[in-house]
Structure formats: structure tokens, C-alpha cells
Amino acid sequence: MKKILVINGPNLNMLGLREPAIYGSRDYNALLVFIRESATALGLEAECFQSNHEGAIIDCIQQAYGVFDGIVINPAAYTHTSVAILDALKAVAIPTVEVHLSDVDSREEFRHRSFVSLYACKVIKGHGFDGYREALEYFSEKK
Ligand code: DQA
């Protein structure tokens, strides 16, 4: 069974409370349940990690080397700033799908740039929770 690591970056633990008009009213725990159920339905094993700290996310990516077959990452605000997360993904060379709950391209200009997109094999934006299921589907269909 393929093992997929799902990483969520800063402030995603505040889902439900955080700008519900943009991110919806369901909380982070509901997202975990959604990811777990989607993975099970697709015959994948998914492990979830969330941190508000860039270094902790980098440690998590490094530790995924040799353990996981794929990474689904919503780097949140670090998407737009972190060369270090991009470099960590390149270092481990694990196939990665980038997910954003909101459609970052239709928001502020500073959200249009993504460092992680320079490495990701697929980017899903603006599909809410469903984006995570679509990312998992990518790995279930991938050879
Ligand atoms: C986000 C979009 C980012 O611009 C923002 O900083 C987030 C969440 C999203 O899922 O839509 O924290 O990655």
C-alpha cells in the first residue's frame, strides 16, 4: 500500500475559526477525518502533520525520505516565501502535490507566487477540502 504524507502549514490548525468566508466553516479535525476517509477509499495509507514552524516542516520532509511514496502539501503562507521548503522537497525527491483550499490566483498579488510549485508535479487551488482528495487520487492513479 502506498504511503502518503500530508503536510499542512501555518494557521491551518485554525480552520473553522479562520476567515470562514475564504476557508470554510469546517475545522482542522474535520479535514483530518476527510483526508483519512479519502485515503481509505482510495486504498492509500495517509499520515498527517501540521506545524506553524518552517523548520519543523523541513524536518518532517527530510524524515519522509525512504518512508513515503508521495507528499501532499499545503504550505499555507510559506508557499509564497519559503525557498527552504522547496529545497527540502527537492532534496528528498519525493513526488509532491501542492494543495490550496482557496484560489490563490484570484487573491492578493503576493499569493500568486509559489516556490513549492517549482517542484510540485501537480498544483490544486480553490477546491476546498476536495483538493486534498484530488491530490490523493493523483497518487492512487500514479504508476
Ligand atoms: C492557503 C493560501 C495561502 O495564501 C494562505 O497563506 C494560507 C492558506 C490556502 O489553503 O488557500 O494560509 O495555502
Side-chain angles (χ1 to χ4, degrees):
M1 198 183 266
K2 281 188 198 161
K3 286 184 73 171
I4 310 300
L5 174 63
V6 183
I7 300 175
N8 280 295
N11 300 307
L12 290 167
N13 57 318
M14 297 289 281
L15 281 179
L17 289 173
R18 177 190 185 201
E19 302 180 88
I22 297 173
Y23 299 113
S25 55
R26 288 180 290 175
D27 66 11
Y28 179 65
N29 197 52
L31 178 61
L32 293 180
V33 171
F34 180 85
I35 291 167
R36 204 175 309 132
E37 288 177 356
S38 301
T40 303
L42 292 164
L44 299 168
E45 195 180 318
E47 197 174 302
C48 295
F49 175 80
Q50 189 277 329
S51 179
N52 296 322
H53 305 276
E54 186 175 19
I57 293 168
I58 292 160
D59 289 343
C60 179
I61 293 168
Q62 290 184 3
Q63 286 156 15
Y65 182 76
V67 179
F68 289 94
D69 304 296
I71 293 176
V72 174
I73 187 166
N74 181 346
Y78 289 139
T79 307
H80 319 299
T81 62
S82 182
V83 175
I85 290 176
L86 167 66
D87 285 350
L89 291 167
K90 285 173 144 181
V92 296
I94 299 171
T96 296
V97 177
E98 176 182 347
V99 173
H100 299 283
L101 292 159
S102 66
D103 179 14
V104 280
D105 292 334
S106 61
R107 298 180 62 194
E108 303 95 320
E109 183 94 40
F110 66 84
R111 296 186 201 274
H112 298 183
R113 178 179 70 174
S114 165
F115 286 105
V116 170
S117 291
L118 298 172
Y119 174 73
C121 25
K122 189 178 168 81
V123 184
I124 299 165
K125 308 166 186 177
H127 297 182
F129 280 20
D130 287 344
Y132 290 83
R133 194 192 55 235
E134 291 163 28
L136 291 170
E137 277 166 3
Y138 171 84
F139 287 114
S140 73
E141 286 160 15
K142 188 174 175 289
K143 290 274 176 329

